[in-house]
């Protein structure tokens, strides 16, 4: 995929999820890196509305200004960071660029040197030459070459565990496959590829196979990927470590690789466990779409998946989910990494009835006509059905408060809510998928998806 089509896809993704801050931020970073400063500025401004005062976004805005030749505007944008107790060091680099644009070389050199002494990885030989500063700080701590990241993970004595505080929670999963309605084929695949190698290691060992490794779940948003991953942990009686995109992107600048390492270290201490990465496409995107820091993350992620040795990740199931599998770098799809891709389809009529049944379990209801409800919810995914139920419960609660006792939910209550909802996510997803998949299925990776794409319009 070329750079411009990757950008188009990110623009489209941001348009579809206007409230997703990490996505907006990624889009803005990518636009800036690809040389579209005006559009990047707009994208950062949109991100700032979602996270007012976010220093990294403000720096992004300032850099977009610099790239448009608006040095004064950049300096004004950066001023809002002056009140921060510890503004990110990159602010100094962008300030240096802006000051240089303004012709204030001495001040630019000052800012540059200060920033690089705080964070040596920010050294920029080009900028250093322009401001007349040595490109590495005189008091340099130690500048890490790009590949040093891998050495730190893989080398002897690499067991530094990052920050003492855990970044993500590990929880005992309270759901199992019994709580996952429908999806029989998907569950069978997971049983064979993940659960059995864990439960019967001797048998698999006889064929030279071992437990562990990873698998990529993909499908439309809300189709139950996270739910399945959690249930997989439940089936194993293993801890579930849920790593969201925001957990990583929050740490994007600076110590993100180290934090990714400490997440894996935490998993290694908690085996057996399921380590789950949601929205993994943003972390594992094709290299050509990525610049700077993100490439470090990709390298780190690959190094962690490979582990120091064969046994490093023993007992860890690494699962990942994505709505955009076509962005995932093929390097991640090798055996031992996310070697298998499993399509989590939108639920068919029977599966919708089963999902509704599970969702209504333990709630006060009359005898529900699940077939009618399932027929009325074509195109709904699990998340939509859950939304319907939540809404119906809310209005039932209001009625119950008036009545003074809990009134049971009826089929009509649910149908009333269903009539007000038009789910569009699945159709839009299938249309997007068709664009990517039909033209790039040489090796048959998308075969599983093809039957779903034929009739969508
Ligand atoms: P995704 O990760 O694919 O975006 P989720 O796993 O977050 O979707 O699904 C959203 C919610 O929908 C889940 O929390 C769960 O309550 C419900 N759900 C989805 N699929 C199923 C299913 N097959 N059985 C029961 N509940 C489901």
């Amino acid at each position: 995929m070329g750079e411009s089509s990757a950008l188009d896809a990110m623009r489209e993704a941001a348009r579809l999820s206007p409230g997703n801050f990490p996505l907006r931020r990624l889009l803005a970073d990518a636009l800036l890196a690809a040389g579209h400063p005006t559009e990047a500025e707009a994208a950062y401004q949109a991100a700032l509305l979602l996270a007012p005062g976010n220093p990294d976004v403000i720096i992004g805005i300032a850099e977009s200004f610099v790239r448009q030749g608006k040095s004064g505007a950049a300096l004004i944008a950066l001023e809002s960071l002056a009140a921060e107790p510890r503004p990110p060091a990159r602010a100094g680099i962008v300030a240096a660029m802006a000051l240089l644009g303004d012709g204030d070389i001495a001040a630019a050199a000052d800012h540059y040197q200060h920033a690089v002494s705080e964070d040596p990885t920010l050294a920029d030989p080009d900028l250093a030459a322009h401001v007349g500063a040595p490109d590495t700080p005189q008091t340099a701590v130690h500048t890490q070459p790009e590949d040093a990241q891998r050495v730190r993970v893989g080398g002897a004595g690499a067991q530094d565990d990052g920050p003492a505080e855990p970044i993500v929670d590990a929880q005992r999963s309270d759901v199992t496959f019994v709580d996952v309605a429908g999806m029989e084929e998907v569950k069978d695949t997971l049983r064979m590829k993940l659960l059995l190698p864990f439960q019967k290691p001797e048998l698999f060992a006889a064929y030279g196979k071992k437990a562990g490794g990873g698998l990529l779940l993909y499908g439309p948003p809300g189709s139950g990927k996270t739910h399945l991953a959690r249930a997989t942990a439940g089936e194993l009686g293993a801890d579930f470590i849920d790593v969201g995109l925001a957990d990583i992107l929050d740490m994007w600048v600076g110590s993100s690789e180290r934090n990714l390492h400490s997440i894996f270290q935490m998993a290694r201490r908690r085996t057996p466990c399921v380590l789950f990465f949601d929205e993994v496409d943003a972390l594992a995107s094709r290299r050509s779409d990525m610049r700077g820091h993100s490439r470090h993350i990709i390298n780190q992620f690959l190094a962690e998946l490979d582990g120091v040795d064969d046994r490093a990740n023993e007992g860890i199931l690494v699962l990942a989910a994505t709505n955009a599998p076509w962005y995932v770098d093929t390097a991640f799809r090798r055996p031992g990494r996310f070697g298998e891709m499993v399509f989590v389809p939108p639920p068919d009529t029977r599966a919708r009835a089963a999902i509704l049944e599970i969702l209504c379990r333990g709630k006060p209801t009359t005898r529900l006509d699940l077939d009618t409800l399932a027929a009325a919810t074509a195109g709904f995914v699990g998340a939509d059905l859950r939304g319907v139920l939540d809404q119906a419960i809310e209005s039932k609660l209001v009625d119950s408060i008036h009545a003074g006792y809990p009134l049971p939910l009826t089929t009509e209550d649910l149908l009333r809510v269903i009539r007000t909802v038009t789910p569009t996510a699945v159709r839009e997803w299938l249309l997007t998928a068709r664009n990517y998949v039909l033209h790039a299925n040489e090796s048959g990776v998308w075969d599983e998806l093809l039957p779903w794409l034929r009739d969508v319009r």
Side-chain angles (χ1 to χ4, degrees):
M1 179 169 40
E3 184 169 272
S4 69
S5 58
L7 276 180
D8 279 344
M10 285 173 84
R11 285 185 185 107
E12 174 71 357
R15 191 182 67 76
L16 289 176
S17 311
N20 186 330
F21 170 73
L23 203 57
R24 288 235 166 254
R25 162 111 199 264
L26 265 187
L27 170 64
D29 288 352
L31 286 166
L32 190 59
H36 303 292
T38 315
E39 205 192 332
E41 185 206 324
Y44 280 121
Q45 297 285 10
L48 198 62
L49 288 177
L50 297 173
N54 182 300
D56 295 316
V57 175
I58 292 173
I59 294 170
I61 291 175
E63 190 172 346
S64 310
F65 281 139
V66 170
R67 306 263 174 221
Q68 297 172 68
K70 302 184 202 166
S71 311
L75 291 170
I76 291 167
L78 289 172
E79 247 178 34
S80 64
L81 293 177
E84 289 280 320
R86 267 189 69 85
R90 200 166 76 84
I93 298 287
V94 179
M97 293 169 165
L99 288 162
L100 187 66
D102 250 8
D104 192 345
I105 295 176
D110 252 346
H111 277 81
Y112 177 83
Q113 273 174 321
H114 183 72
V116 176
S117 71
E118 281 205 344
D119 182 354
T121 64
L122 293 174
D124 174 344
D126 235 24
L127 184 58
H130 277 99
V131 300
D135 63 354
T136 45
Q138 300 307 297
T139 52
V141 187
H142 175 62
T143 312
Q144 292 209 354
E146 275 201 18
D147 279 341
Q149 306 288 347
R150 296 188 71 126
V151 176
R152 197 183 63 208
V153 178
Q159 303 312 319
D160 58 314
D161 290 353
E165 288 296 310
I167 309 161
V168 288
D169 285 338
Q171 292 164 346
R172 220 5 86 114
S173 168
D174 52 1
V175 290
T176 65
F177 280 180
V178 176
D179 304 290
V180 180
M183 299 199 192
E184 295 311 328
E185 272 179 47
V186 179
K187 283 191 274 186
D188 279 348
T189 308
L190 295 182
R191 269 190 205 105
M192 190 61 201
K193 301 218 182 287
L194 298 178
L195 301 181
L196 286 172
F198 256 84
Q199 289 155 345
K200 306 222 180 287
E202 333 73 48
L203 188 65
F204 280 74
Y207 294 92
K209 299 240 174 215
K210 59 180 178 23
L215 189 143
L216 181 66
L217 301 166
Y218 73 97
S223 59
K225 300 179 289 296
T226 309
H227 190 57
L228 259 173
R230 203 181 282 279
T232 305
E235 286 288 306
L236 287 172
D239 275 351
F240 183 68
I241 305 176
D242 188 356
V243 186
L245 175 56
D247 295 322
I248 307 280
L249 292 188
D250 267 357
M251 349 153 174
W252 195 281
V253 179
S255 56
S256 42
E257 293 86 34
R258 189 180 167 80
N259 287 325
L260 194 56
H261 176 56
S262 74
I263 288 174
F264 270 86
Q265 287 295 80
M266 172 185 179
R268 288 172 190 133
R269 282 193 300 266
R270 286 196 166 247
T271 54
C273 67
V274 171
L275 182 55
F276 175 66
F277 290 90
D278 203 2
E279 296 181 78
V280 77
D281 49 289
L283 283 182
S285 187
R286 287 159 187 271
R287 279 149 193 261
S288 58
D289 311 344
M290 292 294 194
R291 297 283 183 285
H293 280 297
S294 20
R295 187 165 308 136
H296 289 304
I297 296 216
I298 285 187
N299 286 339
Q300 181 78 24
F301 202 177
L302 290 173
E304 295 294 347
L305 289 170
D306 293 346
V308 192
D309 57 45
D310 252 14
R311 311 201 56 167
N313 292 340
E314 210 167 76
I316 306 180
L317 269 185
V318 193
L319 293 186
T322 176
N323 304 337
W326 34 85
Y327 288 151
V328 175
D329 191 318
T330 47
F332 282 88
R333 295 208 226 121
R334 302 218 184 103
R337 295 173 180 171
F338 300 114
E340 302 273 349
M341 296 214 294
V342 174
F343 177 46
V344 181
D348 61 13
T349 319
R350 267 185 43 206
R352 290 196 301 278
I355 293 176
L356 280 167
E357 189 174 15
I358 286 183
L359 290 173
C360 291
R361 225 190 256 155
K363 313 222 160 57
T365 64
T366 56
R367 201 184 165 79
L368 295 175
D369 181 353
L370 292 172
D371 291 340
T372 300
L373 290 168
T377 48
F380 285 57
V381 285
D384 299 323
L385 295 173
R386 195 183 170 139
V388 165
L389 189 71
D390 286 347
Q391 232 180 301
I393 287 177
E394 250 171 56
S395 51
K396 207 74 207 176
L397 267 176
V398 175
D399 296 345
S400 298
I401 288 167
H402 286 305
Y405 59 92
L407 298 166
L409 270 179
T410 65
T411 304
E412 187 46 44
D413 291 331
L414 291 166
L415 284 173
R416 208 173 303 127
V417 178
I418 289 166
R419 280 184 216 115
T420 65
V421 183
T422 324
T424 52
V426 171
R427 190 177 150 270
E428 289 197 14
W429 187 84
L430 289 171
L431 286 170
T432 308
R434 188 165 64 181
N435 274 342
Y436 284 99
V437 168
L438 288 187
H439 309 294
N441 194 33
E442 295 84 8
S443 51
V445 266
W446 307 113
D447 282 355
E448 223 183 343
L449 197 51
L450 293 180
W452 294 85
L453 302 180
R454 290 207 184 101
D455 306 323
V456 59
R457 62 189 84 252

